[in-house]
Each structure stands twice: as C-alpha cells, then as structure tokens.
Amino acid sequence: MTKLLLVFLIPILTFCQTKKTDSIRVFYLGGQSNMDGYGYNTDLPNTLKTEFKNVWIFHGNPTPDEKENGGQGIWKKLKQGHGKNFSSNGKQNNYSKRFGVELSFAKKIQSLYPNEKIAIIKYSKGGTSIDSLAAGNAGSWDPDFKGTTGINQYDHFLKTLANAMETTDIDKNGITDTLIPAGILWMQGESDARTEEIANQYFNNLKHLMGLIRAAFRKDDLPIVIGKISDSWNDKDGKVWNYGELIQHAQEKFAKTDNNTSIIRDTRYYKYSDKWHYDSNGYIDLGEKFAKAIYDLNK
C-alpha cells in the first residue's frame, strides 16, 4: 500500500514543482499628454539612460477615437522612448525621442520593492478629455461615448489591458507570470478645463472612470495616485486653462473622499518646456513622487 501511494504521489509532486509561477506587481499609467511625456531623452541622467533589469512595459498604441488599432503593443524591457510620438503595431515598438514618468517611477519603485520584478501597462493619449464635449479630435475617455464606430479612449485602454494580459510569460523565462494589480497612476484633466460647465462635471466623471478602471483590473480598492494639474501661466492672456481651478478642486475632492487615493501637488512647482507640458526635470520628479505615493498606499 505504501509503495502504491508513492507511485501516485511522485508524479503529483513533480507536476507541482514544474508549475512554478512568478508574481509580478503591475502598475497602470494613464491620462493625457503629461502622462505621454514630453521630456527629452537627451536630458536624462545616465542612471535612467538604460534598459531596466526586471522591469517590463506594455505600451498600448495611442490612437484617436473611432480607430481600431488602439492598444496594440508588446511586452519589452523598459527603456527610454516611451514619450510623445511612441507607437506600436503589436509586433514592434517605434520608440520616440521623448520620455514620461515611467523611467524615474521604475527606478524609485524598484528601490522600494528590492529584488522584485515590476510590470508597467501604459495607455495615454495627448489632448484627451473624460467629457466627450471637450474631446475635439483627440478623444474621450467617457465609456458611454459612441461617436461613429463606438470606439473611444476607454475602449483603447481595455484593448491595451486585454492584449497585455494575454501574455503569460512577459519576461520569456519559461515560467508563467501572475500579474498582481498594484496601482493606477493618472495624469489628466487639462482638456476638461475648457469650459465651466464641463469642469464642473469633472469630479463625477473622474469617479466613474476610476471605478471602471479598477473594475477592469478586478480590484475595487486598487490604489490610485492622481497627478494634480497645474498651469504655466504662459498664454497671451495669462492662464492656459481657464477653469483649471475647478479641475484641481475636483481632483482634491476625489483624493479626499476615496479611501485609497492620494494626490501629487508638486506639479505646481514644475517648469515648462512649452505652455502645456512640463520640462524634463518635471517628469523625472513626478515619476519619483508617483512611486512613493503608490507604495505608501499599498502599505
């Protein structure tokens, strides 16, 4: 009887040993152009001009509403070039001369989670609003906005997420990866500051969208860090975003009323490369602040 039991147990134990999996924390980066990133690769310090070890990124192809190629991408080791003008056809990435928060975020989050693998899913699109009335040609994150084809920015996010999650071995080491949702980083709101009526709806729109993104990751209390919008005051009339204070108030309200959300306010100190976008140092600092804030929420 003992020998017979061993005959059955040995294959079971062997099977269990070959089914080892890697658990990898995954962070989502979303929003509009200041999440895309307008930093210049040439401005990067040497510590960020590298292909990161143990950090992988799936960057969904940024696409306007109505188009079907949004969210295409591949898992690759993180390196510079994931800023403005990045694109992907799902087979290869076309890297840009710009970067966003992802590099300094990765470096900081690795220091906070030493010896762990990190995954980043990024989908953002410059100029996009949540409210469809402010979308223009850039696009809307309103899940209910149908347009002509019924495809909007939220759909592109879902496609990005589905494509990213299809891969079961993102680092190609032969071991199945389990991606553990660890946080949402959101930098957006400027385009919703165009009119008073739209800006006054931002809190409700943001709350609804964040709830749906959390649901897409199947974690209702997934930590969120909001990057507070700011103004360069570099327009001919002074302010760039006429109703930016209403967006800022809505972001503060969301951070205060949601139990697992924090907000980055340091953006008000950043310098700008043009009247809309931070300079390279701003993106480096914002990435570090995002990492520390999401780490604190996860604690």
Side-chain angles (χ1 to χ4, degrees):
M1 182 64 180
T2 302
K3 291 181 179 179
L4 184 62
L5 185 60
L6 286 173
V7 169
F8 282 102
L9 278 178
I10 290 172
I12 292 173
L13 291 172
T14 304
F15 175 79
C16 291
Q17 289 170 354
T18 60
K19 280 295 183 180
K20 179 183 177 183
T21 62
D22 278 345
S23 294
I24 303 177
R25 298 179 195 270
V26 59
F27 301 88
Y28 170 61
L29 280 58
Q32 58 180 107
S33 58
N34 275 320
M35 182 57 84
D36 290 349
Y38 275 64
Y40 288 95
N41 294 343
T42 53
D43 293 337
L44 285 167
N46 290 333
T47 55
L48 298 179
K49 286 182 179 178
T50 182
E51 184 177 82
F52 279 72
K53 182 180 179 181
N54 289 334
V55 181
W56 290 265
I57 185 170
F58 188 102
H59 192 165
N61 187 49
T63 307
D65 289 356
E66 317 290 4
K67 306 294 183 180
E68 295 185 353
N69 61 336
Q72 294 177 343
I74 52 176
W75 282 105
K76 298 291 287 186
K77 284 186 177 179
L78 177 64
K79 65 178 183 179
Q80 60 190 358
H82 285 275
K84 173 181 165 55
N85 294 327
F86 169 92
S87 64
S88 180
N89 61 9
K91 296 180 180 178
Q92 66 179 27
N93 289 338
N94 298 307
Y95 296 97
S96 75
K97 297 178 180 179
R98 307 284 191 112
F99 70 91
V101 303
E102 59 279 340
L103 299 175
S104 53
F105 170 80
K107 187 174 186 296
K108 182 65 175 180
I109 207 73
Q110 277 193 305
S111 72
L112 297 170
Y113 293 115
N115 304 317
E116 290 194 27
K117 295 178 179 179
I118 300 295
I120 294 171
I121 297 174
K122 181 174 180 177
Y123 181 82
S124 57
K125 174 71 172 63
T128 53
S129 61
I130 300 180
D131 198 307
S132 61
L133 296 177
N137 295 323
S140 168
W141 288 84
D142 180 358
D144 299 321
F145 179 59
K146 299 302 180 186
T148 303
T149 64
I151 300 174
N152 55 48
Q153 295 302 299
Y154 180 68
D155 295 312
H156 292 327
F157 154 72
L158 290 178
K159 191 67 176 290
T160 298
L161 183 58
N163 288 338
M165 292 299 190
E166 276 182 358
T167 304
T168 57
D169 183 12
I170 68 173
D171 54 0
K172 297 181 175 60
N173 67 349
I175 300 174
T176 300
D177 297 320
T178 301
L179 297 182
I180 309 298
I184 298 166
L185 312 181
W186 187 254
M187 186 68 236
Q188 187 275 336
E190 294 93 338
S191 291
D192 290 89
R194 289 172 178 163
T195 73
E196 184 176 4
E197 292 77 14
I198 292 171
N200 278 327
Q201 292 300 314
Y202 190 76
F203 172 76
N204 291 330
N205 290 338
L206 180 65
K207 182 178 180 179
H208 181 53
L209 179 61
M210 291 299 104
L212 290 174
I213 292 177
R214 276 172 162 164
F217 281 100
R218 300 181 181 181
K219 193 170 182 180
D220 290 342
D221 61 346
L222 187 62
I224 298 171
V225 180
I226 302 290
K228 189 173 181 178
I229 71 164
S230 57
D231 201 300
S232 68
W233 290 85
N234 198 26
D235 201 15
K236 60 182 180 180
D237 298 323
K239 287 174 60 179
V240 175
W241 311 111
N242 291 333
Y243 297 96
E245 290 93 341
L246 294 177
I247 302 298
Q248 292 171 330
H249 174 75
Q251 292 176 323
E252 290 282 359
K253 181 179 178 181
F254 181 77
K256 184 177 181 179
T257 57
D258 187 272
N259 290 331
N260 217 13
T261 294
S262 65
I263 189 167
I264 305 298
R265 302 182 179 93
D266 298 72
T267 49
R268 63 179 173 169
Y269 302 117
Y270 294 164
K271 295 180 180 179
Y272 285 72
S273 60
D274 56 45
K275 68 179 183 179
W276 302 286
H277 305 108
Y278 309 132
D279 66 6
S280 297
N281 289 332
Y283 293 108
I284 292 172
D285 185 76
L286 183 57
E288 293 172 352
K289 294 297 194 305
F290 268 135
K292 182 62 167 60
I294 204 72
Y295 174 79
D296 288 342
L297 287 175
N298 272 294
K299 284 196 299 184

mmCIF file of all heavy atoms in Angstrom, residues 6 9 11 13 23 32 71 77 85 111 117 125 172 178 204 209 217 224 237-238 240 243 250 254 275-276 281 299:
data_model
loop_
_atom_site.group_PDB
_atom_site.id
_atom_site.type_symbol
_atom_site.label_atom_id
_atom_site.label_comp_id
_atom_site.label_asym_id
_atom_site.label_seq_id
_atom_site.Cartn_x
_atom_site.Cartn_y
_atom_site.Cartn_z
ATOM 1 N N LEU A 6 3.172 5.964 -3.035
ATOM 2 C CA LEU A 6 4.322 6.697 -3.555
ATOM 3 C C LEU A 6 4.268 6.816 -5.066
ATOM 4 O O LEU A 6 4.653 7.836 -5.638
ATOM 5 C CB LEU A 6 5.622 6.009 -3.135
ATOM 6 C CG LEU A 6 6.032 6.179 -1.666
ATOM 7 C CD1 LEU A 6 7.248 5.307 -1.361
ATOM 8 C CD2 LEU A 6 6.344 7.636 -1.355
ATOM 9 N N LEU A 9 1.996 9.668 -5.652
ATOM 10 C CA LEU A 9 2.455 10.942 -5.114
ATOM 11 C C LEU A 9 3.595 11.549 -5.916
ATOM 12 O O LEU A 9 3.638 12.755 -6.133
ATOM 13 C CB LEU A 9 2.907 10.773 -3.663
ATOM 14 C CG LEU A 9 1.803 10.776 -2.599
ATOM 15 C CD1 LEU A 9 2.409 10.541 -1.225
ATOM 16 C CD2 LEU A 9 1.050 12.102 -2.608
ATOM 17 N N PRO A 11 4.450 11.546 -9.193
ATOM 18 C CA PRO A 11 4.071 12.371 -10.342
ATOM 19 C C PRO A 11 3.392 13.668 -9.937
ATOM 20 O O PRO A 11 3.589 14.709 -10.572
ATOM 21 C CB PRO A 11 3.114 11.470 -11.136
ATOM 22 C CG PRO A 11 3.439 10.092 -10.701
ATOM 23 C CD PRO A 11 3.856 10.206 -9.273
ATOM 24 N N LEU A 13 3.864 15.452 -7.149
ATOM 25 C CA LEU A 13 4.871 16.372 -6.641
ATOM 26 C C LEU A 13 5.717 16.936 -7.763
ATOM 27 O O LEU A 13 6.043 18.122 -7.794
ATOM 28 C CB LEU A 13 5.763 15.658 -5.620
ATOM 29 C CG LEU A 13 5.096 15.275 -4.289
ATOM 30 C CD1 LEU A 13 6.030 14.402 -3.459
ATOM 31 C CD2 LEU A 13 4.710 16.527 -3.509
ATOM 32 N N SER A 23 5.165 35.977 -9.451
ATOM 33 C CA SER A 23 4.199 37.030 -9.150
ATOM 34 C C SER A 23 4.869 38.381 -9.409
ATOM 35 O O SER A 23 5.926 38.663 -8.844
ATOM 36 C CB SER A 23 3.728 36.940 -7.695
ATOM 37 O OG SER A 23 2.990 35.756 -7.486
ATOM 38 N N GLN A 32 -3.497 61.982 -20.227
ATOM 39 C CA GLN A 32 -3.295 62.686 -21.483
ATOM 40 C C GLN A 32 -1.823 63.065 -21.640
ATOM 41 O O GLN A 32 -0.954 62.310 -21.206
ATOM 42 C CB GLN A 32 -4.249 63.878 -21.618
ATOM 43 C CG GLN A 32 -4.186 64.943 -20.544
ATOM 44 C CD GLN A 32 -5.203 66.064 -20.807
ATOM 45 O OE1 GLN A 32 -6.200 66.148 -20.108
ATOM 46 N NE2 GLN A 32 -4.957 66.936 -21.793
ATOM 47 N N GLY A 71 -4.254 50.427 -28.587
ATOM 48 C CA GLY A 71 -3.958 49.392 -27.602
ATOM 49 C C GLY A 71 -3.058 48.282 -28.081
ATOM 50 O O GLY A 71 -2.752 47.365 -27.315
ATOM 51 N N LYS A 77 11.450 45.052 -22.226
ATOM 52 C CA LYS A 77 12.136 45.671 -21.095
ATOM 53 C C LYS A 77 12.040 47.191 -21.228
ATOM 54 O O LYS A 77 12.134 47.740 -22.316
ATOM 55 C CB LYS A 77 13.598 45.239 -21.043
ATOM 56 C CG LYS A 77 13.793 43.822 -20.510
ATOM 57 C CD LYS A 77 15.268 43.506 -20.345
ATOM 58 C CE LYS A 77 15.462 42.115 -19.737
ATOM 59 N NZ LYS A 77 16.906 41.795 -19.585
ATOM 60 N N ASN A 85 4.948 60.594 -29.351
ATOM 61 C CA ASN A 85 5.258 60.004 -30.665
ATOM 62 C C ASN A 85 5.657 58.535 -30.600
ATOM 63 O O ASN A 85 6.011 57.958 -31.635
ATOM 64 C CB ASN A 85 6.342 60.792 -31.412
ATOM 65 C CG ASN A 85 5.878 62.182 -31.801
ATOM 66 O OD1 ASN A 85 4.707 62.394 -32.084
ATOM 67 N ND2 ASN A 85 6.798 63.149 -31.806
ATOM 68 N N SER A 111 13.566 50.508 -5.949
ATOM 69 C CA SER A 111 14.259 50.704 -4.672
ATOM 70 C C SER A 111 13.337 50.420 -3.492
ATOM 71 O O SER A 111 13.795 50.053 -2.407
ATOM 72 C CB SER A 111 14.795 52.141 -4.582
ATOM 73 O OG SER A 111 13.751 53.086 -4.384
ATOM 74 N N LYS A 117 10.301 41.753 -9.478
ATOM 75 C CA LYS A 117 10.042 42.128 -10.861
ATOM 76 C C LYS A 117 8.864 43.103 -10.897
ATOM 77 O O LYS A 117 7.933 42.990 -10.096
ATOM 78 C CB LYS A 117 9.732 40.896 -11.706
ATOM 79 C CG LYS A 117 10.911 39.941 -11.838
ATOM 80 C CD LYS A 117 10.542 38.713 -12.654
ATOM 81 C CE LYS A 117 11.735 37.784 -12.797
ATOM 82 N NZ LYS A 117 11.416 36.561 -13.575
ATOM 83 N N LYS A 125 -3.181 59.306 -24.013
ATOM 84 C CA LYS A 125 -3.311 59.954 -25.318
ATOM 85 C C LYS A 125 -3.425 61.454 -25.117
ATOM 86 O O LYS A 125 -4.321 61.945 -24.427
ATOM 87 C CB LYS A 125 -4.562 59.428 -26.040
ATOM 88 C CG LYS A 125 -4.892 60.121 -27.355
ATOM 89 C CD LYS A 125 -3.892 59.770 -28.436
ATOM 90 C CE LYS A 125 -4.335 60.314 -29.792
ATOM 91 N NZ LYS A 125 -4.412 61.794 -29.834
ATOM 92 N N LYS A 172 9.728 36.018 -20.719
ATOM 93 C CA LYS A 172 10.188 34.918 -21.576
ATOM 94 C C LYS A 172 11.262 34.056 -20.909
ATOM 95 O O LYS A 172 12.235 33.641 -21.535
ATOM 96 C CB LYS A 172 10.708 35.469 -22.913
ATOM 97 C CG LYS A 172 9.652 36.184 -23.737
ATOM 98 C CD LYS A 172 10.216 36.689 -25.049
ATOM 99 C CE LYS A 172 9.153 37.302 -25.940
ATOM 100 N NZ LYS A 172 8.473 38.440 -25.326
ATOM 101 N N THR A 178 2.184 35.708 -13.020
ATOM 102 C CA THR A 178 0.920 36.177 -12.476
ATOM 103 C C THR A 178 1.058 37.665 -12.192
ATOM 104 O O THR A 178 1.837 38.064 -11.326
ATOM 105 C CB THR A 178 0.550 35.427 -11.183
ATOM 106 O OG1 THR A 178 0.450 34.019 -11.456
ATOM 107 C CG2 THR A 178 -0.785 35.925 -10.639
ATOM 108 N N ASN A 204 -17.520 63.935 -10.934
ATOM 109 C CA ASN A 204 -18.369 62.779 -11.232
ATOM 110 C C ASN A 204 -17.775 61.937 -12.355
ATOM 111 O O ASN A 204 -17.805 60.695 -12.305
ATOM 112 C CB ASN A 204 -19.782 63.227 -11.599
ATOM 113 C CG ASN A 204 -20.530 63.815 -10.419
ATOM 114 O OD1 ASN A 204 -20.293 63.432 -9.267
ATOM 115 N ND2 ASN A 204 -21.423 64.747 -10.680
ATOM 116 N N LEU A 209 -15.004 56.988 -14.056
ATOM 117 C CA LEU A 209 -13.953 56.356 -14.853
ATOM 118 C C LEU A 209 -13.000 55.547 -13.982
ATOM 119 O O LEU A 209 -12.626 54.418 -14.339
ATOM 120 C CB LEU A 209 -13.180 57.423 -15.633
ATOM 121 C CG LEU A 209 -12.022 56.909 -16.499
ATOM 122 C CD1 LEU A 209 -12.527 55.949 -17.567
ATOM 123 C CD2 LEU A 209 -11.269 58.081 -17.131
ATOM 124 N N PHE A 217 -9.399 45.883 -13.673
ATOM 125 C CA PHE A 217 -8.315 45.154 -13.011
ATOM 126 C C PHE A 217 -8.855 44.206 -11.943
ATOM 127 O O PHE A 217 -8.081 43.534 -11.261
ATOM 128 C CB PHE A 217 -7.325 46.126 -12.376
ATOM 129 C CG PHE A 217 -6.359 46.737 -13.347
ATOM 130 C CD1 PHE A 217 -6.571 48.016 -13.846
ATOM 131 C CD2 PHE A 217 -5.243 46.040 -13.769
ATOM 132 C CE1 PHE A 217 -5.680 48.580 -14.749
ATOM 133 C CE2 PHE A 217 -4.339 46.594 -14.667
ATOM 134 C CZ PHE A 217 -4.556 47.870 -15.166
ATOM 135 N N ILE A 224 -4.964 54.445 -6.146
ATOM 136 C CA ILE A 224 -4.899 55.424 -7.229
ATOM 137 C C ILE A 224 -4.079 56.618 -6.750
ATOM 138 O O ILE A 224 -4.264 57.093 -5.632
ATOM 139 C CB ILE A 224 -6.299 55.909 -7.640
ATOM 140 C CG1 ILE A 224 -7.148 54.756 -8.177
ATOM 141 C CG2 ILE A 224 -6.207 57.033 -8.676
ATOM 142 C CD1 ILE A 224 -8.615 55.131 -8.407
ATOM 143 N N ASP A 237 -2.933 85.633 -22.610
ATOM 144 C CA ASP A 237 -3.829 86.242 -21.627
ATOM 145 C C ASP A 237 -3.494 85.819 -20.198
ATOM 146 O O ASP A 237 -4.242 86.132 -19.267
ATOM 147 C CB ASP A 237 -5.282 85.865 -21.943
ATOM 148 C CG ASP A 237 -5.732 86.384 -23.297
ATOM 149 O OD1 ASP A 237 -5.322 87.497 -23.648
ATOM 150 O OD2 ASP A 237 -6.470 85.674 -23.993
ATOM 151 N N GLY A 238 -2.402 85.086 -20.039
ATOM 152 C CA GLY A 238 -2.018 84.629 -18.706
ATOM 153 C C GLY A 238 -2.289 83.152 -18.527
ATOM 154 O O GLY A 238 -1.483 82.302 -18.908
ATOM 155 N N VAL A 240 -3.514 79.370 -19.001
ATOM 156 C CA VAL A 240 -3.709 78.475 -20.143
ATOM 157 C C VAL A 240 -5.048 77.763 -20.017
ATOM 158 O O VAL A 240 -5.794 77.645 -20.990
ATOM 159 C CB VAL A 240 -2.561 77.463 -20.239
ATOM 160 C CG1 VAL A 240 -2.818 76.447 -21.353
ATOM 161 C CG2 VAL A 240 -1.234 78.180 -20.471
ATOM 162 N N TYR A 243 -10.476 77.196 -16.597
ATOM 163 C CA TYR A 243 -11.226 76.667 -15.450
ATOM 164 C C TYR A 243 -10.429 75.555 -14.759
ATOM 165 O O TYR A 243 -10.995 74.613 -14.218
ATOM 166 C CB TYR A 243 -12.605 76.183 -15.909
ATOM 167 C CG TYR A 243 -13.428 77.315 -16.459
ATOM 168 C CD1 TYR A 243 -13.460 77.556 -17.830
ATOM 169 C CD2 TYR A 243 -14.116 78.188 -15.623
ATOM 170 C CE1 TYR A 243 -14.189 78.624 -18.352
ATOM 171 C CE2 TYR A 243 -14.836 79.259 -16.129
ATOM 172 C CZ TYR A 243 -14.865 79.475 -17.493
ATOM 173 O OH TYR A 243 -15.580 80.534 -17.998
ATOM 174 N N ALA A 250 -11.831 69.344 -8.032
ATOM 175 C CA ALA A 250 -12.427 68.018 -8.218
ATOM 176 C C ALA A 250 -11.410 66.915 -7.912
ATOM 177 O O ALA A 250 -11.750 65.890 -7.299
ATOM 178 C CB ALA A 250 -12.945 67.880 -9.651
ATOM 179 N N PHE A 254 -11.773 64.178 -4.971
ATOM 180 C CA PHE A 254 -11.714 62.731 -5.204
ATOM 181 C C PHE A 254 -10.687 62.077 -4.276
ATOM 182 O O PHE A 254 -10.949 61.023 -3.682
ATOM 183 C CB PHE A 254 -11.374 62.437 -6.666
ATOM 184 C CG PHE A 254 -11.326 60.966 -6.980
ATOM 185 C CD1 PHE A 254 -12.492 60.239 -7.137
ATOM 186 C CD2 PHE A 254 -10.113 60.307 -7.086
ATOM 187 C CE1 PHE A 254 -12.457 58.882 -7.410
ATOM 188 C CE2 PHE A 254 -10.058 58.947 -7.362
ATOM 189 C CZ PHE A 254 -11.240 58.237 -7.531
ATOM 190 N N LYS A 275 3.838 75.872 -23.185
ATOM 191 C CA LYS A 275 2.812 76.344 -22.255
ATOM 192 C C LYS A 275 1.914 75.240 -21.708
ATOM 193 O O LYS A 275 1.123 75.488 -20.795
ATOM 194 C CB LYS A 275 1.971 77.440 -22.897
ATOM 195 C CG LYS A 275 1.084 76.998 -24.049
ATOM 196 C CD LYS A 275 0.283 78.199 -24.567
ATOM 197 C CE LYS A 275 -0.682 77.815 -25.671
ATOM 198 N NZ LYS A 275 -1.469 78.974 -26.146
ATOM 199 N N TRP A 276 2.051 74.028 -22.245
ATOM 200 C CA TRP A 276 1.193 72.929 -21.798
ATOM 201 C C TRP A 276 1.931 71.845 -21.030
ATOM 202 O O TRP A 276 1.323 71.126 -20.238
ATOM 203 C CB TRP A 276 0.517 72.261 -23.003
ATOM 204 C CG TRP A 276 -0.301 73.162 -23.851
ATOM 205 C CD1 TRP A 276 -1.541 73.699 -23.564
ATOM 206 C CD2 TRP A 276 0.060 73.674 -25.133
ATOM 207 N NE1 TRP A 276 -1.962 74.488 -24.594
ATOM 208 C CE2 TRP A 276 -1.004 74.502 -25.576
ATOM 209 C CE3 TRP A 276 1.177 73.521 -25.956
ATOM 210 C CZ2 TRP A 276 -0.976 75.164 -26.793
ATOM 211 C CZ3 TRP A 276 1.207 74.184 -27.171
ATOM 212 C CH2 TRP A 276 0.139 74.992 -27.580
ATOM 213 N N ASN A 281 12.967 67.730 -16.211
ATOM 214 C CA ASN A 281 13.126 67.548 -14.762
ATOM 215 C C ASN A 281 11.792 67.325 -14.074
ATOM 216 O O ASN A 281 11.708 66.595 -13.080
ATOM 217 C CB ASN A 281 13.826 68.760 -14.157
ATOM 218 C CG ASN A 281 15.293 68.831 -14.537
ATOM 219 O OD1 ASN A 281 15.919 67.804 -14.781
ATOM 220 N ND2 ASN A 281 15.848 70.031 -14.599
ATOM 221 N N LYS A 299 1.071 50.020 1.304
ATOM 222 C CA LYS A 299 1.450 49.574 2.649
ATOM 223 C C LYS A 299 0.239 49.405 3.532
ATOM 224 O O LYS A 299 0.247 48.661 4.488
ATOM 225 C CB LYS A 299 2.433 50.578 3.270
ATOM 226 C CG LYS A 299 3.836 50.482 2.712
ATOM 227 C CD LYS A 299 4.838 51.193 3.609
ATOM 228 C CE LYS A 299 4.522 52.669 3.746
ATOM 229 N NZ LYS A 299 5.553 53.386 4.537
#
